[in-house]
Amino acid sequence: MSTLTDEISRRRTFAIISHPDAGKTTLTEKLLLFGGAIHIAGAVKSNKIKKTATSDWMEIEKQRGISVATSVMGFNYGDYKINILDTPGHQDFAEDTYRTLTAVDSVIIVVDVAKGVEQQTRKLMEVCRMRNTPVIIFVNKLDREGRDPFEILDELEAELKINVRPLTWPINIGAKFKGVYNIYENSLDLFTPNKQTISERVAIDNITDPRIDEMVGEADAKKLREDIELIEGVYPEFDKTQYLEGKVAPVFFGSALNTFGVKELLDCFCEIAPAPKPVQTEERLVLPDEDAFSGFVFKIHANMDPNHRSCIAFVKVCSGRFQRNENYKHIRSGKMMKFSSPTAFMAQKKDIVDEAYPGDIVGIPDTGNFKIGDTLTAGEELHFKGLPSFSPEMFKYIENTDPMKSKQLEKGIQQLMDEGVAQLFINQFNGRKIIGTVGQLQFEVIQYRLLHEYGAQCRWEPISLFKACWIESEDEQALEAFKKRKHQFMAVDREGRDVFLADSGYVLQMAQQDFPKIRFHTTSEF
Ligand code: G4P
């Protein structure tokens, strides 16, 4: 039997993040192909495979064709156990992605070579930076016309605020794309358009090897040598420690659609990406190889099976061995709980598992006991530190439109907030409920789910707000004076913390000026 340490060191738990359309789904699918988790080669165009490669259990997701929910895909690749945590592609669900990033040990960022760094990627990178998450970048769609790779590297550094180091290098792009030189391994992969596999991989001695000229032609070989010389001159040698500290991001070039450059990425990823790392709790640092189990809930997914109205709580195992039918403590309620049917996620299937290891995600059927951020342990009082809530971007009053169903509405709102679908604030002035989201779509999701899952009907009323700011001050009097002055704009969040609802950037600026003793925060933890 393998030891706990063996199991930990072979695990790689990560998320692929990108701006929509950069190729995240395609890359995920190709990684699953390499892992033997799916068997249909080059089936990106087939919607069927797309649906299984991403997970869209929710009705709304099917209707809209976007991935609302985060799911997990586990597979074995060589000696490694890979867990990919999928993130919703749509930016309105960015909050969901932020939380998923609390459960991964590293990240692969996909960038479209023609488009470069786009807004969504920039935002997600900020979250990675907050947590020093190691990042690998895959520049995709080299088979299409795009930007100069050096320009892309500069942009990555400037926009993502991280040092980069190319580990592969393209020979031309678009129609003239000939392949990728692997700087890391000194090999050359030649690209043949329309083929779904690498046509030829040639191990070469080094960049001066004359075989390169034979294979790609003299002119391109010369250009490649110049490029490599420039790279070696400009970018310091790749340093794995710096990568693990989140200070430098290795960069790969390829074409996910053509399965090109993907294996290099995966192989290098397995070699350098971190195994599950120690995790900070409020009490202490928890090491993965401790005997006692601990983990936290980072995602709650409702109604994956339309026949059963239950949720699944996604638990990231942080330490020890998680076992089926063991007694574990749910720290927030203080209750001991036993899980008879925890599931693991292998490719598109979920199966009941008897045990899971640090880095793994287990799905636990739940009927409303769990909240995002909850800790489970073998008994010790620990509280894992989550990611703070960020101020929503959009706000609306929620109003009941069916007086007979106010209880259902109340329950629905509570549970959806527990799942982290959106944030709830109660205006202290008029007692009305305000829902805050990152995008318009979430309002529609909430309305749809309240109706279909709770039988409750609601309507939205506009409210023009700029930001929700959590406020604090050492000076009680100053705080009270502020609350009194701004009483129309004061609210509390679900934890009862004071929140100032600023209706414009100007108002917030003035408030900061007029009340210097008050600190305003746009995240819930400070
Ligand atoms: P996403 O999950 O990041 O949103 O992107 P996705 O993988 O769905 O890819 C977006 C589009 O880009 C898809 O085309 C996909 O086929 C294409 N694509 C991905 N990788 C490459 C690549 O290396 N080269 C080229 N040329 N295209 C690539 P689509 O037409 O929008 O969708 P579909 O009809 O192919 O499913």
Side-chain angles (χ1 to χ4, degrees), residues 107-125:
V107 153
I108 293 179
I109 295 180
V110 184
V111 173
D112 183 326
V113 69
K115 296 192 179 138
V117 177
E118 294 170 274
Q119 186 216 356
Q120 179 88 346
T121 318
R122 222 173 283 134
K123 248 176 144 179
L124 294 172
M125 183 64 204

Side-chain angles (χ1 to χ4, degrees), residues 60 68 90-96 99 394 416 420-423 435-448 460:
I60 188 155
V68 173
H90 199 288
Q91 60 182 20
D92 283 12
F93 297 92
E95 189 89 23
D96 220 22
R99 276 193 298 265
M394 300 180 93
L416 292 184
V421 175
Q423 293 180 58
I435 303 284
T437 69
V438 255
Q440 173 60 31
L441 202 49
Q442 275 154 307
F443 292 111
E444 291 169 38
V445 173
I446 292 169
Q447 200 164 24
Y448 178 97
W460 302 107

Side-chain angles (χ1 to χ4, degrees), residues 466-503:
F466 166 66
K467 282 257 163 13
C469 298
W470 285 264
I471 56 165
E472 59 157 358
S473 175
E474 270 88 53
D475 187 335
E476 269 306 309
Q477 270 181 339
L479 202 60
E480 283 315 310
F482 178 81
K483 281 159 68 174
K484 210 164 158 196
R485 175 90 161 271
K486 298 283 181 189
H487 70 290
Q488 286 185 330
F489 298 96
M490 288 308 301
V492 288
D493 72 3
R494 294 190 71 211
E495 267 80 54
R497 289 174 295 204
D498 288 323
V499 176
F500 170 52
L501 306 169
D503 53 359

